[in-house]
Amino acid sequence: MSPDFPALDGWNNFYVIVGSSAAGLTGLTFVVIALASEAKMVRLSGLRTFITPIVLHFGSALWLAALACIPGHNVTSLSICMGASGLALTGFAANTTWRMYRGRREYRPVIEDWIWNAFLPLAVYLVLLIAGLIVVWHALLSLYLIGSVALALLFIGIHNAWDLAVWITAERPGVRSQANAKQPSPGKSPSGDPGA
């Protein structure tokens, strides 16, 4: 194989699209979080387990797109970049799964939460690690795996951001708790006199 990696050149447009989408969606996620926080709709401390991975999935898709577009990549440099990224991100995904398990008192994740926030990201990051390790022997397969990982991260991030936005809008936990605090308890009049 030649010192440079010409097979990667055909992926430039793909990574420009994925990277641009990931960057835009990351910014949009920050805006939604800031607006929800400012409106005191939710307490963000309990949602960090879900918010941070969304931003990281978009950031990872952007990171992979940037790494893949570095000029002059050879098989070894691509293997090191993708393998190291896969290893670090797999560790993060495992940590996110642990935080979901540990934080069950604040919020009990349903099966969909486990699939989209724990299982799928961990599987995708493991595929990235494997793709980084096999670039030397199976370059073409590895390129397709890396492209699939970048696209999967984009879709996982979109799903999870949408899920979070719908939850914030529909549940509105901050507003519900304020409304519950303002409602008089049963058997009392709004003025506070029992039986009035």
Side-chain angles (χ1 to χ4, degrees), residues 28-44 47-48 50-51 54 107 160-176:
L28 198 56
T29 303
F30 284 128
V31 169
V32 169
I33 292 166
L35 290 174
S37 176
E38 191 174 294
K40 298 193 186 331
M41 291 173 66
V42 292
R43 245 187 52 217
L44 294 180
L47 291 176
R48 280 196 191 113
F50 297 98
I51 292 172
I54 291 170
Y107 171 74
N160 292 352
W162 177 257
D163 194 39
L164 183 64
V166 168
W167 182 80
I168 288 171
T169 305
E171 295 293 321
R172 298 183 60 136
V175 173
R176 281 192 178 188

Side-chain angles (χ1 to χ4, degrees), residues 29-115:
T29 303
F30 284 128
V31 169
V32 169
I33 292 166
L35 290 174
S37 176
E38 191 174 294
K40 298 193 186 331
M41 291 173 66
V42 292
R43 245 187 52 217
L44 294 180
S45 61
L47 291 176
R48 280 196 191 113
T49 301
F50 297 98
I51 292 172
T52 303
I54 291 170
V55 173
L56 188 79
H57 299 327
F58 289 144
S60 297
L62 177 59
W63 172 253
L64 294 177
L67 284 180
C69 289
I70 294 174
H73 256 311
N74 59 34
V75 175
T76 305
S77 66
L78 186 67
S79 178
I80 291 169
C81 287
M82 296 305 167
S85 297
L87 184 62
L89 293 169
T90 299
F92 178 82
N95 186 39
T96 299
T97 304
W98 169 247
R99 283 193 329 238
M100 283 178 65
Y101 177 76
R102 188 183 65 195
R104 289 179 325 227
R105 286 186 210 114
E106 293 177 19
Y107 171 74
R108 179 154 290 189
V110 296
I111 189 69
E112 183 182 358
D113 294 331
W114 286 109
I115 290 170

Side-chain angles (χ1 to χ4, degrees), residues 131-154:
L133 295 175
I134 67 168
V135 170
V136 176
W137 300 281
H138 303 286
L140 193 59
L141 173 63
S142 187
L143 289 177
Y144 278 102
L145 289 175
I146 293 166
S148 299
V149 164
L151 201 55
L153 289 172
L154 198 57

